[in-house]
Amino acid sequence: MTADRVPAGPSRAEGRSARAEPGPAAGRGRPPTYWLESADPDAFAPPAVLPARADAVVVGAGLMGAATAYWLARLGVDVLVVEARRPAWGTSGRNAGLSLNGLRPVEDGELTLTVLREEGIRAGYERRGHLALASSAEVWERFRAEAARLPAPARLVEALDLAACEELLGRRIDRRFFGGRWFPGGHVIHPVRLVHGLAAAAVRHGAAIASGTRVLGIGASARARFEVLTDRGRIGADHVVFACGLAARELAPPLRDVLTPARGQMLATAPLPPVFGFPLAVDYGSVYWRQVADGTVLLGGCRGLDPDAEASAEERVNPLIHQGLDAFLPRTFPGFPPVTARRRWAGIMDCTPDGRPVVGALPGAPGRWVIAGFGGHGIPPALGSGRALAETVVTGRTPMMLESFAPDRLLREARTTPS
């Protein structure tokens, strides 16, 4: 998911503004999102028996867990991925499927493309470009300043006035917008097929996946460095990788003051005629949307309508925010038909105080690792971060590209910040 910076902390407004997400628990009934429904829901059945031991146990089979397990397996590590629900059932299957690479070394689009090609993963990874509309004069000036800083003629982004945005899109845009940021390098992808493809590739390279298996804790073991306690048995392991988003706070207590929730709301419309040839957003992701091949428009955001309630870790639909989502497209594009939502869902992003993820060793806990805190911007850095972490686990040396993501930078702050 894409997200603005949001306040963190428990929600005091949860009871007044949110209702339960429709649909039964994972594993039964209709999958909760458009992406999960359009991918094979039974790709990874729970194993009949858990292995007694693995070199490394990766907790979580979302994008970060699948990417890390893939690289660990390629490096020859005996790796087991343990997932409480199904692969991609959490945040990785609840986003818009946008890949907007930045300048960080881990955000390597060529690496993503290479892995997809080598492993034969058909996840609909396409370069479409991306247009962000500025809703204020301040954001418009920031867009212009960013474009002006980049060298011509091959600028990574371009600032377009409103008329140029309308020409690019082929539609009128409401006059409350000032212009836009055109990013030709924006890609789209089917996020669940990406996760399932990486998980299947990891299995081909020797990994194992235990879905429907919840980790209850990490204890001491006589046969390995750790004993991973699950609701289906115990697993010995020399390394444990926490790739489970906010759930890492319960399994690794030092992360409790580092990872905070930010809930994102999304809907999928009834199919529409071709309208949007590329994904769009408002500002830096306060609203975001794209149209997929069957005509469905996937639309998310509007957190600002109820920010206190959305600082929540519950996968619940917020009616107040969905009212805003329902009204957004007709309000933004004059003459746009009323929107009929076929699906509605929520997903939980794990965020950090400084906006950078935590990837690396947990200090003072040899063999315990974390890859989390991507705050809704996980697709571009997933394969680069997963590879760098896997190499660190195997070699004990941290690549330079992970230095700014080191967990101890925030753990030190958490220990010294007064409560």
Side-chain angles (χ1 to χ4, degrees):
M1 291 190 170
T2 303
D4 286 339
R5 294 286 166 240
V6 295
S11 169
R12 295 173 181 249
E14 186 69 22
R16 75 174 161 79
S17 67
R19 61 180 175 83
E21 178 185 272
R28 302 188 303 276
R30 188 183 187 192
T33 78
Y34 174 90
W35 299 121
L36 287 162
E37 190 169 44
S38 59
D40 182 357
D42 298 314
F44 302 92
V49 179
L50 289 178
R53 197 187 186 289
D55 293 340
V57 169
V58 175
V59 184
L63 180 53
M64 297 306 158
T68 304
Y70 169 74
W71 291 114
L72 284 170
R74 282 191 55 165
L75 290 169
V77 177
D78 174 25
V79 57
L80 171 67
V81 183
V82 180
E83 165 59 44
R85 298 187 286 184
R86 295 178 182 172
W89 202 268
T91 307
S92 297
R94 297 168 185 262
N95 55 67
L98 304 181
S99 185
L100 308 179
N101 288 15
L103 298 177
R104 292 170 173 168
V106 294
E107 297 183 22
D108 186 347
E110 286 302 314
L111 176 63
T112 300
L113 193 57
T114 297
V115 170
L116 295 180
R117 286 172 176 167
E118 288 181 351
E119 300 295 348
I121 299 172
R122 301 178 64 181
Y125 189 62
E126 297 179 284
R127 178 170 169 160
R128 294 283 186 86
H130 180 271
L131 180 65
L133 300 174
S135 68
S136 68
E138 178 186 3
V139 172
W140 171 232
E141 286 305 315
R142 290 172 66 183
F143 285 173
R144 293 177 63 189
E146 179 189 13
R149 286 195 304 268
L150 299 172
R155 287 194 172 103
L156 294 176
V157 299
E158 184 178 356
L160 306 178
D161 63 24
L162 193 59
C165 291
E166 291 178 324
E167 182 178 358
L168 179 67
L169 187 59
R171 297 191 68 88
R172 287 181 57 215
I173 301 172
D174 188 82
R175 298 297 103 176
R176 73 180 185 276
F177 294 101
F178 290 75
R181 176 189 185 271
W182 172 243
F183 175 45
H187 284 71
V188 296
I189 199 165
H190 191 301
V192 173
R193 290 179 183 161
L194 171 62
V195 174
H196 286 185
L198 287 173
V203 170
R204 289 194 297 272
H205 288 285
I209 296 178
S211 60
T213 305
R214 184 175 300 278
V215 174
L216 305 176
I218 311 297
S221 172
R223 55 184 170 170
R225 181 181 280 166
F226 303 112
E227 190 162 65
V228 181
L229 312 175
T230 80
D231 59 359
R232 298 182 61 231
R234 299 167 181 254
I235 309 154
D238 293 325
H239 298 275
V240 178
V241 179
F242 300 108
C244 47
L246 287 172
R249 300 187 304 179
E250 303 306 314
L251 300 172
L255 296 173
R256 287 177 183 169
D257 295 323
V258 171
L259 299 176
T260 54
R263 186 169 57 195
Q265 306 285 337
M266 289 201 69
L267 63 77
T269 72
L272 296 169
V275 180
F276 304 113
F278 46 81
L280 294 97
V282 172
D283 298 336
Y284 293 96
S286 59
V287 188
Y288 45 94
W289 67 102
R290 62 176 283 203
Q291 188 170 27
V292 294
D294 66 6
T296 299
V297 174
L298 302 166
L299 173 69
C302 289
R303 297 189 72 258
L305 295 177
D306 201 2
D308 291 339
E310 292 306 283
S312 169
E314 295 189 57
E315 291 171 347
R316 299 168 68 89
V317 169
N318 186 330
L320 179 61
I321 287 178
H322 278 266
Q323 290 174 13
L325 292 174
D326 289 342
F328 176 78
L329 292 176
R331 181 169 174 252
T332 300
F333 302 105
F336 201 92
V339 171
T340 300
R342 289 273 181 90
R343 304 296 300 272
R344 301 181 190 273
W345 65 86
I348 310 302
M349 297 167 278
D350 46 320
C351 303
T352 63
D354 63 6
R356 300 198 308 272
V358 283
V359 184
L362 288 176
R368 299 194 192 204
W369 312 84
V370 63
I371 177 167
F374 288 83
H377 185 70
I379 293 176
L383 278 162
S385 298
R387 181 172 67 174
L389 181 59
E391 291 172 351
T392 305
V393 171
V394 171
T395 67
R397 297 188 298 272
T398 301
M400 185 177 297
M401 67 173 60
L402 289 187
E403 289 180 355
S404 66
F405 298 165
D408 62 357
R409 78 185 192 278
L410 295 175
L411 294 173
R412 283 195 301 267
E413 293 176 8
R415 286 194 296 267
T416 57
T417 301
S419 59

